[in-house]
Amino acid sequence: MADQGFKSTSLPEQRALQHSGYEFIYQDTEKIPVVEVDNVPLLGKLAALRFLEWVQTHPGGVISLPAGQSSDYFISWVQYYWVHWNKTDVQRDLALNGLDPEHKPRMQSLHFVQMSEFYPIHPDQENSFYYFVHTHYIEGFGLDPRKALLMDCYNLGIPNHMSVEQVFPNSKVDLTLRSRQPENKQERLRKQVIERIDQFCTDYETRIRDLGGIGFFLGGIGPDGHAAFNIRGSDFYSTTRLTPANYETQAAAASALGGIEVARNRLVITIGLSTLTYCRDAAAIIIAAGEAKAQTVAGAVEHEPSNQYPATVLQRLPHARFYLTHGAASCLKERRYVDLHTSGTITREQIEEVIIDLAASKRKRIRDLNEADVQSDRFAALLLQRTRQAFDDLKSGVEQHLIEKIAAGTREIHGKTFMHTAPHHDDIMLGYLPYIYHLVRSPENTHYFNYMTSGFHAVTNQYMLDLLQSLSAYMRTPDYERRAAEQYFTNHNPIYRHRDVYHYLDGVAGHHQTLKREAVSRRLLRNLNQLYGEDIPQLRRRINELKAYFQSAYPGKTDPEPVQKLKGMIREWEADLLWAHLGFDSRSVNHLRLGFYQDDVFAREPDMERDVQPILDLLRQIQPDVMTVAFDPEGSGPDTHYKVLQAAAIALRRYEKKDRKNIEIWGYRNVWYRFHPSEADVFVPVSLNSLAILENTFYNAFGSQRNASFPSPELDGPFSRLAQRIQAEQFYTLKTCLGQDFFNENQHPRIRAMHGLCYIKTMNIDEFCRQTSTLKQRMQFKDAPN
């Protein structure tokens, strides 16, 4: 099926290839050419230059461009070049990248094709693709709206006198009506609407083909490898259609749609895989950033054409490309081999990575690996060649270091002050809660738990509505009347806030739901008073207004600032509950609410005064011996974890210069990204008891997350369940490497009880800042447009 030989590179691609040092395609393993760049802004710049180059040579062409965060820098670069086209430095940059600076692209000549949309969704909703396309492409690029094929998925197929809610209550569309007889009048109407939508899709496809097909396609790749919304299993000959989404796609869309419970009820309209490949001369580009996408990318680039890897259909197109950051390309076999072959001195981490991977692939203990195993694995063979060490010595060194890492995780720590930090309120517990349970046992240790953002995105409108309704019921009880008379809810003495927490935990201990509901209502009423500064009669009206808002606001809508703060207070309450399980009150929990965290499609960058100074102030207040950080690499772009990491690094450098130097940094990861065993140097044993505590504590503390409204695409369930699975898988890898007898017969009871592992990477300030500087170089580019 693959085209025999891909067409030559464009000039922007040639420059990027020269800089990267990699080949365009490694024929032995890769089926689609790849262009690697250093960072996310450069990824957007390369895509923008290729797009503008294509438009120059294809006036009147047909384009389809992505919606969402992955398009941030692409859009910024296109607009930057467009606005500043005639500036001398911009003209020089364009010429250097092979574009003709004398001929500005004719944007208004282009035909635009919207590639997908949720169904049903109103086009005026800010979280609809229609809204994004109209705002950022039709208006932002100055395209001609008369030449745009768009998907208005709200009134589509609905009779004029009716609304979509009347036809499809709760937005649930039963596609079995395509093939079965309707049972009543309502089902007959629904069947007719579905048939009209199907006809719209056929007409949409026809219009695309009448235009000659899509000539320039730029898109991301989903967690299941989908292109547009062609999910895993899609037919290579599929056309534009109304279709269900799979779980991975629903989970990825949950944050935009206001929760997985909303995403489950949405179908999608998407162009098909044959729509993508209809124009055989199309420039089809997939962009991806971050190690989190690496395995998905590898499946699309290295696998033979398969319905299980939808993007492999692009092998049909000679101008198909993958534009990737190094992180997104990190699972491409030949490129990893090149990295090992061309790196300077081989590090211990590289040695461990190769030998651990070899043991895992052979399902052998490290000490049982032999020369035949080495010769069957080109990475191991190259490692042996480059190190010029005996294989037995390499094995012994890796095995011994793994044992030392386990010993480090069982070592008792006393007399330390810990400054635990997290971007979101459940990051710490999902990363290393079992370790904290051991660290807090020493009364000589001091702990502070510090949250960098308000985390309001994680609280759904429905959850807020449920809390407010419960509060209204509580305000009719004798307990409320007595406490209101005592000014309990308007007294902001910390003691009263602590009492809310203790009351809730009494309910947890006694399985007493009424106590728990009372505690939640008490804290919510206290937060409302603090937020709005109103007395109780006014707050009653405010509660009714908020209930009306949450009933009417569409899921995923941008909330007004007071509502964002109120949702953030819910997350802060949950963190207070979490650490109260271990005896810590609010004096040990700090909420910084850093200002870069907003409700914008394209999030802000960290600011020195707004985002760094609060962390620096906290460092000076706590004066920690150990500071923990969520040590995530690229992620899927410049996300919250990365931004907090950069702000923390700057704060630490400033603190080091004026205050103290000998702080130890502990990097942790959780459900979003994991350490390879070679990267971490502390392996914390996790028992079955600790795994059970993790789930129980998560369930009792994080009410807003209990039903997993914003789950991981990896698991249809709460984050605590995924964290348990990850920790168990990490232990399984180590058990393979060292053998089960090492654990079953070990003299240390914590090691004998191991059924999971947490990984920690320890660093001093210099090491941490060097690594975050490397990440910053990957993520940022000095010439990136603002």
Side-chain angles (χ1 to χ4, degrees), residues 498-629:
H498 301 163
R499 289 178 183 175
D500 298 337
V501 174
Y502 300 148
H503 196 65
Y504 184 91
L505 294 187
D506 285 343
V508 171
H511 296 278
H512 203 309
Q513 297 301 318
T514 299
L515 295 186
K516 291 163 67 175
R517 284 194 296 269
E518 284 178 354
V520 173
S521 294
R522 289 183 192 178
R523 176 56 67 88
L524 180 56
L525 187 55
R526 185 183 309 283
N527 287 341
L528 287 167
N529 175 262
Q530 182 179 340
L531 180 61
Y532 292 104
E534 298 171 338
D535 59 23
I536 296 300
Q538 290 174 309
L539 283 180
R540 288 183 183 276
R541 291 192 292 272
R542 180 72 65 180
I543 290 167
N544 289 331
E545 290 174 1
L546 287 168
K547 285 195 289 187
Y549 170 79
F550 289 120
Q551 286 173 328
S552 62
Y554 61 80
K557 175 182 171 61
T558 298
D559 293 318
E561 186 174 344
V563 172
Q564 293 178 10
K565 288 182 178 179
L566 184 61
K567 286 183 174 182
M569 288 173 164
I570 297 299
R571 298 291 279 153
E572 293 167 2
W573 154 254
E574 292 173 341
D576 289 349
L577 291 177
L578 167 63
W579 302 119
H581 277 71
L582 297 178
F584 296 96
D585 60 32
S586 59
R587 289 170 294 188
S588 300
V589 185
N590 297 297
H591 304 286
L592 296 192
R593 306 179 186 177
L594 297 184
F596 78 83
Y597 186 82
Q598 297 290 323
D599 208 5
D600 302 325
V601 175
F602 302 140
R604 303 176 184 179
E605 296 296 325
D607 174 81
M608 181 61 219
E609 292 303 318
R610 184 191 62 209
D611 302 310
V612 175
Q613 190 63 44
I615 302 175
L616 179 57
D617 292 341
L618 203 57
L619 279 163
R620 289 172 174 160
Q621 173 188 329
I622 294 172
Q623 300 182 32
D625 300 300
V626 177
M627 178 176 174
T628 72
V629 294

Side-chain angles (χ1 to χ4, degrees), residues 771-784:
Q771 297 219 34
T772 53
S773 293
T774 300
L775 297 179
K776 187 174 182 179
Q777 290 167 7
R778 292 181 187 174
M779 299 296 294
Q780 294 184 339
F781 182 58
K782 63 181 180 179
D783 295 325

